[in-house]
Amino acid sequence: MIQQNDFSLKQSTLELFKKQFRQLPNIITRSPGRINIIGEHTDYNEGFVLPAAINRYAYIAVGERDDNLIHLYAVEYTELLVFNLNDLGQKKSSWTDYIIGIVDQLKQTRCKLNGFNLLLDSDLPIGAGMSSSAAIECATIFALNDLFKAKISKLSMVKMAQKAEHTFTGVQCGIMDMFASVFGKQNQVIKLDCRSLDFAYMPLLMGSKQMLLLNTNVKHSLASSAYNERKQQCEQGVAWVKEKYPEVNSLRDITIEMLNLMVAPKDPIIYKRCQYVIEENNRLLTACEALKKGDLVTLGRLMFETHMQLSKLYEVSCKELDFLVKQVKKYPSVLGARMMGGGFGGCTINLVETTAIPALVQILKPAYREATGLDLSVYAVGVTNGTETLINNTC
Ligand code: GLA
């Protein structure tokens, strides 16, 4: 079923490209979205994260041009936008930023570029906290790397995609989303140390359980300062601790005792933010131990705990996310649940007994509509491989 779906999306991307640009694409790539089991808002604090790539993708098809123009077409928006390689302009707050941000990064390498046609197709919901933007960036950089034979390593592409997000969308995001999109592996989660970028795969042994995503359909606007504000608050906390402990570099090096001494007297909000990050890193380490032992009950409990603290200490939840977590907590078939990603909307991730899913969804959908006036979307996702080139006619 999934393979059929994958095949037809690749095929339709090819056909749509042919129709739009009257040429065959040289390259088609696809890059997955991601879930994150636990470890939220820890990546930009040099902490740990536990993401996995999921079987929903951004597809990018590219074809050469013999001028300096960049023609971009997104199937979802049925719009064609034209840029000039020599003058990319500024951020436009549109889907094109993710692609132009990558071109801007490539221009800073020694690689020789030319104009190109590009088509974007995707089955990843936008703004749902599944990292559709990172998927677009990673699929684009893989495609252009192949098209222009730039020979950039996977890790460098991840870093360039993150930089593109910083410069072209203005979100000072961490590295988790791009890393998971590129380095994802079937049925494995990635335990990533965001300081050293060392990582290890761990099997996601789910037994009779499954990860279920519930989309609030509240669009999160990460760029809307709150994300960047959290990052600055964490940095302020580190700066205050550093006054007495110059050896610390990030919240990774800081203990609650240090916070009590150096941050508590200065600012209760910054204290809460830092406390959350320190505790979340510890929760992740405990969660990894639980996952290794197949102890999903402990994992689930830790997920609930993360949600509570994201909501109370880090204050990045919203009433729709809180409602969903509170509702599912009533059911013994749900072992754990929490908001996922940047916050202020998007999805919750739920660890659920597979056989209980249909009945749960049947109860939740009308309850959610009644409480919020919004529709609830449900995704049962599989864990998959990272960015791939599906067609390459340049060799
Ligand atoms: C967004 C960012 C990530 C990460 C998460 C929160 O998805 O892009 O880098 O910070 O929020 O964990």
Side-chain angles (χ1 to χ4, degrees):
M1 177 61 193
I2 286 161
Q3 269 177 356
Q4 174 62 31
N5 188 29
D6 288 355
F7 175 77
S8 53
L9 251 170
K10 172 176 137 191
Q11 211 44 37
S12 73
T13 304
L14 182 96
E15 294 304 329
L16 288 165
F17 186 93
K18 263 187 358 198
K19 190 162 154 232
Q20 181 62 36
F21 296 114
R22 297 175 197 289
Q23 67 174 151
L24 273 172
N26 298 93
I27 319 273
I28 297 184
T29 56
R30 70 171 187 190
S31 205
R34 62 106 188 89
I35 50 173
N36 185 26
I37 311 291
I38 201 160
E40 216 64 88
H41 287 275
T42 43
D43 59 352
Y44 54 84
N45 285 305
E46 297 194 347
F48 294 97
V49 288
L50 199 62
I54 53 171
N55 55 349
R56 287 190 160 250
Y57 306 90
Y59 287 76
I60 292 282
V62 290
E64 292 166 312
R65 292 180 61 92
D66 51 15
D67 55 21
N68 274 329
L69 297 181
I70 300 173
H71 283 214
L72 305 181
Y73 181 82
V75 175
E76 182 163 349
Y77 302 109
T78 56
E79 61 180 2
L80 178 76
L81 292 156
V82 179
F83 294 79
N84 191 315
L85 187 57
N86 299 326
D87 179 15
L88 296 175
Q90 300 297 313
K91 146 182 180 182
K92 298 209 161 20
S93 298
S94 130
W95 60 273
T96 55
D97 287 341
Y98 305 122
I99 294 157
I100 296 302
I102 292 294
V103 179
D104 179 51
Q105 286 299 307
L106 285 168
K107 277 182 75 171
Q108 294 170 40
T109 68
R110 295 158 75 94
C111 152
K112 170 148 178 23
L113 305 179
N114 213 342
F116 58 89
N117 295 324
L118 179 149
L119 179 134
L120 161 68
D121 202 358
S122 176
D123 62 356
L124 257 172
I126 291 171
M130 295 182 213
S131 282
S132 55
S133 57
I136 297 172
E137 287 152 356
C138 295
T140 301
I141 198 163
F142 267 60
L144 297 181
N145 182 49
D146 283 346
L147 188 68
F148 298 119
K149 302 195 168 23
K151 298 201 170 75
I152 303 168
S153 73
K154 276 188 177 188
L155 186 58
S156 299
M157 286 196 272
V158 165
K159 290 181 180 168
M160 287 165 77
Q162 183 193 14
K163 210 63 186 299
E165 186 104 15
H166 289 181
T167 48
F168 253 79
T169 75
V171 183
Q172 296 301 310
C173 65
I175 202 162
M176 167 171 74
D177 302 348
M178 298 79 189
F179 199 97
S181 194
V182 167
F183 287 101
K185 197 166 171 180
Q186 194 166 24
N187 297 330
Q188 309 276 322
V189 293
I190 309 169
K191 181 183 174 196
L192 172 66
D193 176 338
C194 298
R195 171 181 273 173
S196 63
L197 298 187
D198 285 344
F199 68 103
Y201 293 110
M202 291 175 59
L204 190 57
L205 300 170
M206 297 294 288
S208 60
K209 323 282 185 297
Q210 206 172 326
M211 289 295 177
L212 186 74
L213 302 185
L214 300 175
N215 186 359
T216 57
N217 285 309
V218 174
K219 293 274 175 258
H220 63 173
S221 172
L222 269 181
S224 72
S225 70
Y227 183 95
N228 292 347
E229 186 191 54
R230 294 299 178 281
K231 183 164 186 276
Q232 276 164 13
Q233 289 170 330
C234 292
E235 284 163 2
Q236 180 60 69
V238 174
W240 283 335
V241 173
K242 229 173 155 56
E243 287 170 8
K244 186 169 167 64
Y245 302 96
E247 68 281 9
V248 307
N249 286 315
S250 69
L251 288 175
R252 172 85 169 267
D253 306 319
I254 291 178
T255 60
I256 297 289
E257 290 68 38
M258 292 175 178
L259 277 191
N260 289 341
L261 201 64
M262 300 306 290
V263 180
K266 291 200 173 80
D267 188 322
I269 295 191
I270 294 193
Y271 181 90
K272 283 202 290 191
R273 306 295 191 246
C274 297
Q275 180 196 348
Y276 162 76
V277 174
I278 294 170
E279 290 175 355
E280 179 69 352
N281 261 323
N282 292 334
R283 258 192 301 273
L284 181 142
L285 297 175
T286 316
C288 286
E289 288 312 307
L291 199 58
K292 261 188 220 154
K293 289 190 227 141
D295 177 1
L296 297 182
V297 172
T298 300
L299 178 63
R301 182 179 51 73
L302 293 165
M303 288 168 74
F304 278 131
E305 224 173 274
T306 291
H307 182 80
M308 200 176 72
Q309 304 299 55
L310 279 168
S311 184
K312 296 225 156 67
L313 297 180
Y314 218 61
E315 295 179 289
V316 289
S317 187
C318 61
K319 63 180 191 319
E320 293 83 358
L321 288 164
D322 289 344
F323 174 84
L324 285 177
V325 173
K326 194 169 165 205
Q327 289 301 305
V328 299
K329 217 173 180 174
K330 295 181 193 157
Y331 300 95
S333 56
V334 182
L335 277 67
R338 63 178 198 82
M339 55 148 280
M340 187 178 76
F344 309 105
C347 282
T348 60
I349 178 168
N350 302 264
L351 176 53
V352 190
E353 193 67 60
T354 306
T355 51
I357 292 177
L360 182 72
V361 170
Q362 220 183 354
I363 297 171
L364 283 180
K365 279 200 163 190
Y368 183 70
R369 170 151 272 292
E370 201 189 312
T372 64
L374 295 168
D375 282 332
L376 181 70
S377 315
V378 180
Y379 305 90
V381 289
V383 170
T384 185
N385 287 326
T387 320
E388 287 170 292
T389 300
L390 304 175
I391 292 179
N392 185 345
N393 295 328
T394 60
C395 317

